[in-house]
Amino acid sequence: MATRTKTGKGPVLVITGGSRGIGAATARLAAAQGYRVAVNYNSNAKAAAKTVQAIEKAGGKAIAIQADVSQEDQAISLFEETEAQFGPIYGLVNNAGIIGSSGRVEDLTAEALEAVMRTNVIGAFLCAREAVKRMSTKNGGAGGAIVNVSSRASALGSPGEFVHYAASKGAIDSMTVGLAREVGRDGIRVNAVSPGLILTEIHGSVGDAGRLKRLVGSVPLGRVGSALEVAKTILFLLSPHASYVTGTILQVSGGR
Ligand code: NAP
């Protein structure tokens, strides 16, 4: 459960890509636990509205905020708007991510590479920067927690599929470790989850809807995971239950 703030209101959480998939499951669970949630999305306003409506129907508090996190001005405005609506920010879930395209590295275009790096790496860095500026006790903030959404691809490399995506998640792993060490004394914990094969629309986004079925045999637990199972781990890392946990990359992959 979230700790109430001095005002008696639930802590404020920014979830990038909170409109669909793992982000949406995290938004719903966080709101159910008392967080006030900024549900960020890029292009699918309908999905964001649906997630916010589901949260409100269940008695929670959420707002939808459009921002392409790969663009600096929009990443900044995401945080400004969240603060304007909800007040000081307690936490960030750096979840927005794309695969972009599928294929071998020899066929990779510079445009496809740049798009993935812009969203998955630069977007995550920009949002971490904006969160740290606001949460740091050095700047008068109350501290807080960041959870980055990496991928088991960072270790497995995704050969023949999307090595560029795997490499973008390798950057997230390094950022998690480095930033955790950098801001630990500023009252901020930084961790990551590293999901395996999770049932969301991201697999279909590269025209490979049969991917999960094809790869499920490689999962020691013998099944794919749900977005809710990842969300539960993210909420644990955000919560006071993880008060002595920082710089950790927690696998949520059924052993894959
Ligand atoms: P998803 O269902 O495709 O949802 C992606 C979310 O990110 C959507 O809300 C989307 O918003 C948002 N988004 C994409 N680009 C954005 C941008 N530039 N700015 C702001 N929001 C943006 O994906 P998912 O499977 O839930 O994946 C979530 C995270 O988990 C990603 O970082 C992914 O790499 C990671 N992950 C997923 C799996 C898996 O098996 N599903 C495994 C390992 C890691 P719009 O709809 O508005 O574009």
Side-chain angles (χ1 to χ4, degrees), residues 24-97:
T26 307
R28 286 197 297 269
L29 187 62
Q33 294 188 2
Y35 288 92
R36 289 173 292 157
V37 186
V39 174
N40 160 248
Y41 68 100
N42 182 24
S43 55
N44 190 338
K46 248 190 192 163
K50 203 173 144 197
T51 298
V52 168
Q53 277 162 17
I55 288 171
E56 286 173 343
K57 206 173 158 200
K61 290 223 165 1
I63 44 169
I65 302 180
Q66 192 283 326
D68 177 350
V69 295
S70 72
Q71 303 303 315
E72 186 172 24
D73 56 338
Q74 296 185 42
I76 293 169
S77 71
L78 166 62
F79 284 81
E80 287 175 347
E81 203 176 325
T82 303
E83 277 188 325
Q85 301 249 9
F86 278 155
I89 291 159
Y90 162 79
L92 164 67
V93 181
N94 243 334
N95 164 79

